[in-house]
Amino acid sequence: MLPNGRRLGPHLPLAAGMVRAADRAGAIGASAVQIFVDNPTSWRRRPALPDELPAFRNRLAARDITSISVHAPYLVNLATPDDDVWERSVELLASELRVAAAYGAAFVNVHTGSHRGAGAEAGISRIAEGLGRAVERAGETGDGVAVVLENGPGAGFGLGRSPGELGAIDRAAAVAGVPRHRLGFCLDTAHLWGAGYDVGTVEGVDELLELFDAQVGLDRLRLVHLNDSRSAMGAGADRHEHLGGGRIGTDGLARFLVHPALHGVAYIIEAPGMEEGWDVVNLARARDLAEGRPLAPLPPSAFQTRSARGRSAPPEPDAVASGS
Ligand SMILES: [Zn+2]
Ligand SMILES: [Zn+2]
């Protein structure tokens, strides 16, 4: 929990075992988690729920980790003009909604998608229709779970790069019959930055959130993906960095954590090396930011090649996260 009572946690890798992951989330003081319920780069879903699921849920509940979000696979593209991909996307999203309910998750976070050259208007109506279909197809099982659309970094034909586009999608979804409580939104700070919003300053964040409020409504914001970025502002790129170690920097990220209108959101960190020990470092840094403490400098190992797994392990957490 953040000092202001808001929920914070990592994107939690489950590959090393679900119970182990739940224990790790507890050990690092998470009060929220985001997970993949299956391979995020595959259309195929496992036929049955994992055996470890009941124990996983119990461990999370015992640690008061009650904000659980599922991140849908990256393949889902509801905006596509390709009928086959669209149909598979709808089916996969419906499946994620049903499985999310079994995990006790309230949200399935999904990328807004790409219109692949068909134009924003066409893409938006495809998304709206796809959302309606997926929610309907999820049926009663998925009833308690809302789709949360994540803003895009503005690459290529990607939609949802601006509050205006997110608002257009929201209105089209309402027309397509998606119940309001089944659709929420996620703002990823690194994506905002990539899309050209200067969220590196308090004023920039306030301005962006005002715009979002006017176009969508801050009451619809469910998640903030709190990430720094290695890319230049407006580059349309999406390369996450440790909090305060990238180009967005501390002022803007801290503002997201304390902005008075965001008291109801959960903050999820998707920084590099979270499975290698950087999870505890970044959660501590978020707490420091929320309390207005200066961040300790990151060691050079924080920026080593990300492809070389296991080579970027942080030094002992206490040395980094002392908040001195
Ligand atoms: Zn995402
Ligand atoms: Zn994200």
Side-chain angles (χ1 to χ4, degrees), residues 93-95 97-98 133-143 182:
L93 182 56
S95 159
L97 286 165
R98 288 189 296 261
R133 229 29 113 75
V135 164
E136 191 184 298
R137 218 176 276 181
E140 274 179 36
T141 326
D143 265 357
R182 299 298 298 279

Side-chain angles (χ1 to χ4, degrees), residues 34 71-72 74 109-111 150 186 188 191 225 238 240 270:
Q34 176 179 277
H71 195 302
Y74 300 118
N109 183 92
V110 65
H111 290 183
E150 179 174 359
C186 167
D188 184 311
H191 294 183
H225 284 169
D238 175 27
H240 295 181
E270 302 169 317

Side-chain angles (χ1 to χ4, degrees), residues 159-182:
L159 285 164
R161 70 184 71 196
S162 66
E165 267 181 12
L166 295 172
I169 294 167
D170 188 38
R171 290 187 292 277
V175 172
V178 179
R180 197 178 158 81
H181 69 279
R182 299 298 298 279

Side-chain angles (χ1 to χ4, degrees), residues 234-259:
D238 175 27
R239 296 186 304 155
H240 295 181
E241 188 51 276
H242 301 296
L243 302 187
R247 301 210 193 186
I248 299 178
T250 55
D251 291 358
L253 295 174
R255 183 60 178 162
F256 275 99
L257 287 164
V258 301
H259 192 289

Side-chain angles (χ1 to χ4, degrees), residues 65-318:
I65 303 172
T66 53
S67 173
I68 304 167
S69 304
V70 169
H71 195 302
Y74 300 118
L75 299 169
V76 172
N77 184 6
L78 297 175
T80 182
D82 181 313
D83 287 334
D84 179 52
V85 173
W86 186 82
E87 181 53 45
R88 292 212 274 172
S89 297
V90 168
E91 190 50 45
L92 190 47
L93 182 56
S95 159
E96 296 287 286
L97 286 165
R98 288 189 296 261
V99 173
Y103 274 73
F107 307 121
V108 171
N109 183 92
V110 65
H111 290 183
T112 311
S114 164
H115 63 69
R116 304 257 185 245
E121 208 179 316
I124 288 168
S125 62
R126 287 288 259 194
I127 295 171
E129 200 192 329
L131 287 170
R133 229 29 113 75
V135 164
E136 191 184 298
R137 218 176 276 181
E140 274 179 36
T141 326
D143 265 357
V145 185
V147 177
V148 169
L149 278 182
E150 179 174 359
N151 66 308
F157 296 122
L159 285 164
R161 70 184 71 196
S162 66
E165 267 181 12
L166 295 172
I169 294 167
D170 188 38
R171 290 187 292 277
V175 172
V178 179
R180 197 178 158 81
H181 69 279
R182 299 298 298 279
L183 181 61
F185 292 85
C186 167
L187 290 176
D188 184 311
T189 54
H191 294 183
L192 288 167
W193 182 258
Y197 293 95
D198 183 5
V199 290
T201 65
V202 172
E203 299 74 34
V205 172
D206 288 1
E207 211 173 289
L208 178 272
L209 290 176
E210 260 173 53
L211 199 56
F212 182 88
D213 195 32
Q215 295 289 334
V216 185
L218 281 167
D219 60 318
R220 311 292 302 289
L221 187 61
R222 301 283 176 250
L223 300 173
V224 167
H225 284 169
L226 193 76
N227 303 308
D228 211 329
S229 175
R230 278 196 278 161
S231 304
M233 189 180 84
D238 175 27
R239 296 186 304 155
H240 295 181
E241 188 51 276
H242 301 296
L243 302 187
R247 301 210 193 186
I248 299 178
T250 55
D251 291 358
L253 295 174
R255 183 60 178 162
F256 275 99
L257 287 164
V258 301
H259 192 289
L262 303 193
H263 53 83
V265 312
Y267 300 86
I268 299 293
I269 300 176
E270 302 169 317
M274 295 291 272
E275 66 285 352
E276 292 158 5
W278 293 101
D279 51 357
V280 67
V281 174
N282 280 294
L283 259 71
R285 291 170 79 80
R287 284 188 205 100
D288 284 344
L289 287 174
E291 295 210 83
R293 284 194 292 265
L295 297 183
L298 286 159
S301 60
F303 304 103
Q304 277 164 12
T305 2
R306 271 72 194 255
S307 50
R309 288 194 160 261
R311 284 188 51 213
S312 70
E316 283 306 298
D318 286 344

